[in-house]
Amino acid sequence: MSDTDPDVEYEDTDAGRDVIVDDQAREYYDTLVEEEDSPFYGVQRIDLFMFALGYGKKRAGQVTQGSGRNALFNRPSLSEQQEWIIKSVATYEERDPQVLRDEKQVYQIAQEYARGGIEELHNLYIRPGDSFSELTTDLVQLGQDFYDFEE
Amino acid sequence: MTNLQFLSITLNDYRQYKGEQKIDLQIRNDRHINVIEGQNGAGKSNILNSITLCFYGTEEHLKDEKEGGLETFPLVNRDRLEELDEDETAKGYVEIELGENEPEYVFKREFTTVKTSSGFSSTIGDLRLQRRVNRDWKPVDNPHTYLNEILPTRVHEYFLFDGERLHEFFEEGYPERVQTAILDVSHIELLNRSLDHLEKMDTEIGRKASNFEGEAKRLKNQLDEKKQEREQKKERKQELEANIAEAESKITGIDNKLRDSSDAAVREKQERRKYLNDRLDQLEDEIDNLKEETTEEMVQAAPIIYNLKALEYTHEQFAELAQTGQLPPKIQDWFVQELLEKGECICGANLDSDEKKRQHLAELEQEMSLVMQENLEGKAEIPRIIDDGQDSLRRIIENRRKISERQTELDNVDVELRDISNELKNYDLPEDVDVSSLESQRSEIEDRITEMSQEIGRVDQQIETLTEKIDDLDEEWRDEAAKEDKHRRLMKKLDFVEEASEEISEIKQTILAQIRENTEENMNQYFNDLIWKDEDYTVELGENYTVSVYGKHGDNKIGSLSAGEKQVLALSFMSALTKISGFNAPIVIDTPLGRISSKPKKRIAQNLPTYLKDTQITFLMTDEEYTDDVRARLQNSVANEYQLEYLNEVTEVKKV
């Protein structure tokens, strides 16, 4: 995460139509939504991307894209809420709301966190243990601290 | 009545039937049933045999010798043979007239028996057919082609069958028999032939492709090996699935025996077990549903909760920008542009003369594009997102509580089920049902089912890995082969053959599923029409060809059906098959009520007149089956009634 740098000039850019993942990530997505014992069985890939973005931000960190380019979904399919989460991640990352002018960078940040997150989620799925339960427990604990209420 | 019927069967010196004996079977109006009654050994089954002998050249309904079965009599009548000297021959024949109302076809087959020093030796002649063309009868050169249209050999056993043996149909391993029968009547020969042909083409192209050299050959060999390995795994999976179905049906049978125990405590435990097993299924379903709901909530909540700091930060930034005037109030940029173009500000200042004000507005427009108008929306949206996260989290917490409650109950149910099983294993009852041994068997079968299910999981995994490997190898092989011009044509052919094969397989599966559904519907109707009980049953035919018979409490009775009930079930299945087979041939059933005791017999007899009422049905019954009660209930539906009189090894057919 970088501190705000008043000298940074952001270019006005538009992100591409599709959100792209590398070959390895594509496999992770496929496995997690297609395997019946996965906690994400039947989940839409766009929603899993958003989950991975959060999980990557919190638990894994950014990972740059590897080889291969696969369209995971097209950006217009994102809901307004999902778009604002992506923008917030970029704003927080850059400590500067001006980053929002540079849409390419906004989505690059999101894709790199999601790349880290999806790998970690895949690891969690293949590790022994109840990944569904681990994920909900993690969320509940984080949420309770923030919203200040008890289970 | 527009279906084909046997108008007559003529037996000439066949088995017990001496000389020429013609049995007129023509039905009329509402009377669609014929009854031929005879004691055991009088030759009932040989009437059925005479039909299959005439049509297909075989006699399939062998009875034990003590019942006066086939082995007792040579093919040509024994009395007739007695008149012969050694090495002399005698001939006999069976002739069948078929038609809707008038004879249209006459099928005939002769047979010859020669008297030898050691006994008799028989040969069967060819099938002959005469067909009526206008008013004339003309011999037909290819009788088997005609017979195939009327009643092909593969389906005849669903039209001409031994009722007494029917209950065996639903004994162990029946799903395979059900599947075979459905395939028999499904008219998919053309598709099967096409698939066979395509398979041959595929093999042929594959064989040619094996002649490729170098890397293409190596890849092809590897591909073939993996395909073979996958086939073996698929066969193993099928075998395991069939074994599981069989094991489950055994468990149902054991459960029913335990429920019928004379000991009240055993019965009670069995009832409790049934309740607990149902509850177990219910709890598992509920947990699955709750998990599904929680996943949906989790997917909504996680991006928010993991990014709460980022959302909070961004919102603070927007608030700060707004406070310092950097985030302008919500003014559309086109509005500022319009003011600039019009040359007059909203405050009334003339922008053409007041350069300072014009510049201010121009800067404002520029600033708006810098931070972007939509950020204003973000400022309002982010607090709502944070609130949504809280709502989802509450629902996740509530669902987790429900899952935990159900999981605890499920664990308790599991423990209680094990306790019941252990108690039953230790039961020592000097009564008809060996509770302890049955329970031990039950536990062993359950363990086996678990092991087999786990093996299926492993096999599935192996099939999947092999499929991935095969796909990769296939692609590599095709790429390699296509590098050379001379192979391209062959590879195109291969693509076509494979695509065609896939399409046809899909069509075949769709047809079979439809037939299974129709069979289930008809079976359900016939079973309820025929069964002697007042309650309604639901007969289901599963995807893996298992049959379930549900009673009013929703319990599956398939494992506990009596021999008579199994016979009725099989009769219903056979009728369902005849109905959907598309062949409108007549039906002949030997000993239809053989396994059914006297009271149900009356009830079935009462229902028989409505059973397959568009079809000619000929029953071959013993005097024990064709009781006065049965006769009385059938009398309005019977067209012809015959008595087989058996004396000195010769049977005469007498019209009643």
Side-chain angles (χ1 to χ4, degrees):
Chain A
M1 190 185 299
S2 60
D3 289 332
T4 314
D5 183 348
D7 296 334
V8 173
E9 281 286 323
Y10 292 98
E11 276 181 64
D12 285 312
T13 63
D14 290 324
R17 193 188 72 108
D18 293 327
V19 167
I20 305 290
V21 294
D22 61 42
D23 290 345
Q24 185 61 64
R26 174 86 211 189
E27 272 186 38
Y28 292 150
Y29 279 99
D30 288 349
T31 307
L32 288 170
V33 302
E34 285 169 10
E35 292 298 326
E36 278 185 45
D37 60 339
S38 153
F40 300 102
Y41 176 62
V43 167
Q44 298 289 316
R45 282 169 176 75
I46 190 171
D47 293 330
L48 181 54
F49 173 87
M50 291 305 297
F51 197 114
L53 163 63
Y55 201 70
K57 180 90 181 63
K58 199 77 193 173
R59 301 274 175 246
Q62 283 166 287
V63 171
T64 48
Q65 302 270 348
S67 64
R69 285 175 59 79
N70 305 275
L72 193 67
F73 58 87
N74 58 39
R75 278 195 314 112
S77 324
L78 285 164
S79 67
E80 205 179 330
Q81 189 175 83
Q82 288 171 326
E83 271 189 70
W84 273 107
I85 292 170
I86 289 172
K87 286 176 181 173
S88 298
V89 169
T91 304
Y92 186 61
E93 181 66 20
E94 293 291 301
R95 292 285 198 268
D96 187 352
Q98 295 299 331
V99 70
L100 301 184
R101 288 172 53 192
D102 188 350
E103 221 178 34
K104 271 191 185 158
Q105 183 162 0
V106 168
Y107 278 89
Q108 166 126 0
I109 293 168
Q111 285 178 145
E112 289 183 359
Y113 273 123
R115 177 65 181 80
I118 199 70
E119 184 159 353
E120 197 48 39
L121 286 170
H122 185 261
N123 290 343
L124 182 74
Y125 161 62
I126 57 175
R127 267 202 303 269
D130 182 352
S131 46
F132 173 81
S133 178
E134 279 181 46
L135 285 170
T136 52
T137 304
D138 191 31
L139 273 183
V140 168
Q141 278 171 358
L142 279 171
Q144 277 175 332
D145 288 347
F146 182 87
Y147 295 115
D148 199 21
F149 63 80
E150 288 182 0
E151 191 167 356
Chain B
M1 171 79 54
T2 54
N3 282 353
L4 275 182
Q5 46 171 317
F6 291 124
L7 297 169
S8 72
I9 298 175
T10 305
L11 309 173
N12 185 276
D13 282 335
Y14 170 67
R15 303 283 186 195
Q16 303 96 318
Y17 299 89
K18 191 178 176 187
E20 189 180 272
Q21 304 204 38
K22 187 173 181 180
I23 311 169
D24 176 19
L25 295 171
Q26 182 157 14
I27 55 172
R28 55 207 163 264
N29 304 326
D30 288 341
R31 294 172 178 262
H32 67 115
I33 293 175
N34 292 309
V35 176
I36 301 176
E37 185 203 341
Q39 64 188 81
N40 283 335
K44 289 188 306 303
S45 300
N46 280 340
I47 289 181
L48 199 55
N49 279 323
S50 72
I51 301 170
T52 58
L53 176 74
C54 177
F55 284 167
Y56 313 106
T58 57
E59 295 168 286
E60 292 159 8
H61 305 277
L62 297 149
K63 294 277 183 182
D64 296 338
E65 200 166 324
K66 63 179 181 193
E67 292 177 38
L70 280 184
E71 301 313 312
T72 322
F73 302 99
L75 205 48
V76 171
N77 179 261
R78 185 188 287 272
D79 259 19
R80 175 85 181 79
L81 292 171
E82 290 299 323
E83 297 161 8
L84 303 181
D85 292 326
E86 208 175 299
D87 293 333
E88 279 189 336
T89 58
K91 286 182 186 298
Y93 64 84
V94 177
E95 189 178 271
I96 298 173
E97 280 187 315
L98 267 168
E100 286 178 358
N101 289 308
E102 290 181 0
E104 290 168 54
Y105 306 96
V106 178
F107 287 93
K108 185 174 180 178
R109 196 186 290 264
E110 285 186 346
F111 44 85
T112 309
T113 300
V114 56
K115 191 173 184 178
T116 63
S117 54
S118 56
F120 306 105
S121 168
S122 300
T123 50
I124 296 166
D126 292 333
L127 175 66
R128 282 187 284 147
L129 169 63
Q130 289 218 313
R131 187 169 158 252
R132 199 176 64 179
V133 181
N134 299 323
R135 290 187 174 185
D136 301 324
W137 285 94
K138 293 198 167 164
V140 171
D141 291 338
N142 47 351
H144 292 283
T145 310
Y146 282 83
L147 183 60
N148 251 340
E149 291 301 312
I150 296 166
L151 195 58
T153 182
R154 67 163 204 289
V155 299
H156 80 261
E157 59 188 279
Y158 311 116
F159 288 80
L160 313 168
F161 54 88
D162 182 354
E164 202 169 11
R165 295 264 159 90
L166 269 189
H167 73 283
E168 292 168 5
F169 193 90
F170 281 102
E171 298 292 355
E172 277 174 29
Y174 75 87
E176 207 180 321
R177 289 190 284 276
V178 170
Q179 185 179 12
T180 309
I182 287 184
L183 283 172
D184 280 343
V185 300
S186 58
H187 293 267
I188 51 170
E189 311 89 78
L190 183 63
L191 293 177
N192 282 337
R193 280 207 300 275
S194 307
L195 283 172
D196 284 349
H197 175 69
L198 288 168
E199 205 182 314
K200 272 184 204 148
M201 296 269 296
D202 195 53
T203 315
E204 180 60 19
I205 296 171
R207 195 183 55 73
K208 283 184 187 162
S210 303
N211 295 332
F212 293 178
E213 284 167 357
E215 182 61 5
K217 186 184 177 72
R218 191 189 67 80
L219 288 167
K220 178 76 173 71
N221 288 345
Q222 225 179 328
L223 179 65
D224 290 344
E225 268 173 38
K226 292 289 168 200
K227 277 185 178 170
Q228 204 180 346
E229 207 180 318
R230 184 175 61 179
E231 266 328 289
Q232 286 165 352
K233 298 285 175 202
K234 282 184 180 171
E235 278 167 22
R236 175 66 186 148
K237 187 182 169 187
Q238 274 179 352
E239 190 186 337
L240 286 165
E241 282 170 345
N243 290 347
I244 287 177
E246 202 177 314
E248 278 170 349
S249 123
K250 276 187 189 163
I251 285 189
T252 311
I254 291 174
D255 283 349
N256 289 322
K257 279 185 190 162
L258 290 172
R259 211 174 294 148
D260 289 343
S261 162
S262 58
D263 186 89
V266 172
R267 287 201 304 273
E268 205 177 295
K269 283 190 199 311
Q270 191 54 29
E271 282 303 315
R272 177 74 183 153
R273 170 151 64 189
K274 186 179 175 328
Y275 165 76
L276 290 172
N277 273 323
D278 290 346
R279 182 68 190 137
L280 200 73
D281 289 344
Q282 212 177 349
L283 285 167
E284 280 169 351
D285 283 350
E286 283 176 15
I287 290 175
D288 283 349
N289 289 339
L290 280 165
K291 280 191 171 176
E292 212 171 295
E293 275 175 35
T294 312
T295 300
E296 281 170 27
E297 291 296 345
M298 186 170 78
V299 165
Q300 290 301 312
I304 303 171
I305 289 172
Y306 284 127
N307 292 310
L308 277 168
K309 272 191 184 166
L311 287 162
E312 243 190 348
Y313 176 83
T314 308
H315 185 243
E316 279 166 16
Q317 289 296 304
F318 286 161
E320 207 175 297
L321 288 170
Q323 218 170 20
T324 56
Q326 292 178 67
L327 189 67
K330 196 169 181 173
I331 305 168
Q332 301 290 339
D333 53 356
W334 58 262
F335 180 66
V336 181
Q337 255 169 20
E338 257 184 26
L339 293 178
L340 285 166
E341 278 166 22
K342 223 165 90 182
E344 189 182 333
C345 179
I346 195 168
C347 64
N350 186 335
L351 297 175
D352 291 334
S353 57
D354 192 340
E355 186 54 32
K356 205 175 164 189
K357 282 205 157 65
R358 167 174 281 279
Q359 200 174 340
H360 174 70
L361 273 181
E363 276 171 15
L364 182 62
E365 192 205 5
Q366 178 68 15
E367 196 180 345
M368 284 167 80
S369 70
L370 282 177
V371 292
M372 294 178 289
Q373 179 73 23
E374 60 186 34
N375 288 359
L376 290 166
E377 284 151 23
K379 186 169 160 269
E381 180 69 19
I382 290 173
R384 281 201 292 269
I385 296 174
I386 294 174
D387 284 349
D388 283 354
Q390 183 169 13
D391 293 343
S392 283
L393 189 69
R394 283 190 196 284
R395 286 191 287 270
I396 291 174
I397 291 172
E398 178 60 13
N399 280 355
R400 271 163 61 94
R401 189 188 59 74
K402 287 181 185 166
I403 291 173
S404 164
E405 269 175 20
R406 279 153 184 80
Q407 190 59 53
T408 309
E409 192 185 340
L410 194 137
D411 293 343
N412 292 338
V413 168
D414 246 349
V415 170
E416 198 181 336
L417 277 168
R418 277 203 298 277
D419 286 348
I420 289 177
S421 179
N422 287 333
E423 282 171 36
L424 290 173
K425 274 184 205 159
N426 294 323
Y427 239 78
D428 186 15
L429 276 177
E431 55 146 342
D432 52 345
V433 178
D434 186 350
V435 175
S436 167
S437 144
L438 282 175
E439 188 56 31
S440 299
Q441 283 174 35
R442 193 184 190 284
S443 293
E444 277 170 29
I445 297 171
E446 271 191 334
D447 290 346
R448 237 173 42 227
I449 291 176
T450 310
E451 280 169 24
M452 289 191 288
S453 303
Q454 285 166 349
E455 194 181 336
I456 287 183
R458 287 195 297 274
V459 173
D460 270 339
Q461 188 60 48
Q462 289 163 343
I463 292 174
E464 204 182 307
T465 313
L466 280 166
T467 304
E468 279 169 20
K469 183 78 191 156
I470 287 167
D471 289 347
D472 290 347
L473 277 169
D474 197 48
E475 206 181 318
E476 273 184 68
W477 171 67
R478 281 165 200 261
D479 287 350
E480 192 60 40
K483 281 180 187 167
E484 291 193 47
D485 282 349
K486 60 180 179 183
H487 297 149
R488 273 191 201 130
R489 198 177 149 78
L490 194 68
M491 299 311 287
K492 271 193 181 164
K493 265 192 191 172
L494 186 65
D495 285 346
F496 174 77
V497 165
E498 284 177 357
E499 272 171 37
S501 195
E502 268 172 37
E503 290 291 330
I504 293 176
S505 299
E506 210 168 294
I507 294 170
K508 183 176 156 182
Q509 290 315 316
T510 310
I511 293 175
L512 283 179
Q514 183 65 47
I515 290 177
R516 204 177 52 236
E517 208 175 292
N518 292 348
T519 309
E520 179 185 85
E521 204 177 298
N522 288 321
M523 220 173 149
N524 209 8
Q525 187 202 321
Y526 294 136
F527 187 76
N528 282 298
D529 279 355
L530 285 179
I531 197 74
W532 51 90
K533 297 177 180 173
D534 287 330
E535 63 179 292
D536 275 343
Y537 293 89
T538 306
V539 180
E540 282 181 10
L541 182 55
E543 275 185 29
N544 50 0
Y545 298 97
T546 51
V547 174
S548 308
V549 180
Y550 294 104
K552 63 178 172 185
H553 301 298
D555 44 337
N556 184 2
K557 295 176 179 298
I558 187 74
S560 66
L561 296 180
S562 67
E565 287 166 330
K566 276 185 191 164
Q567 190 173 352
V568 170
L569 184 65
L571 209 54
S572 313
F573 180 61
M574 294 292 176
S575 318
L577 291 179
T578 59
K579 180 106 176 167
I580 59 168
S581 71
F583 297 103
N584 55 5
I587 292 176
V588 180
I589 311 175
D590 187 14
T591 355
L593 307 177
R595 293 259 159 188
I596 295 159
S597 50
S598 65
K599 194 177 164 196
K601 206 178 283 180
K602 277 187 253 172
R603 297 287 296 272
I604 292 185
Q606 196 156 354
N607 296 336
L608 276 176
T610 54
Y611 166 70
L612 290 172
K613 59 181 169 194
D614 295 332
T615 307
Q616 180 199 46
I617 308 176
T618 301
F619 291 126
L620 305 166
M621 288 174 163
T622 62
D623 48 356
E624 282 171 15
E625 288 177 281
Y626 200 49
T627 59
D628 290 344
D629 280 329
V630 172
R631 177 182 274 116
R633 283 169 172 79
L634 288 182
Q635 65 178 353
N636 291 330
S637 302
V638 172
N640 300 288
E641 192 179 330
Y642 293 94
Q643 184 95 38
L644 301 181
E645 287 187 0
Y646 180 68
L647 191 67
N648 299 329
E649 298 191 338
V650 170
T651 297
E652 266 194 73
V653 186
K654 292 269 175 76
K655 192 157 176 96
V656 178

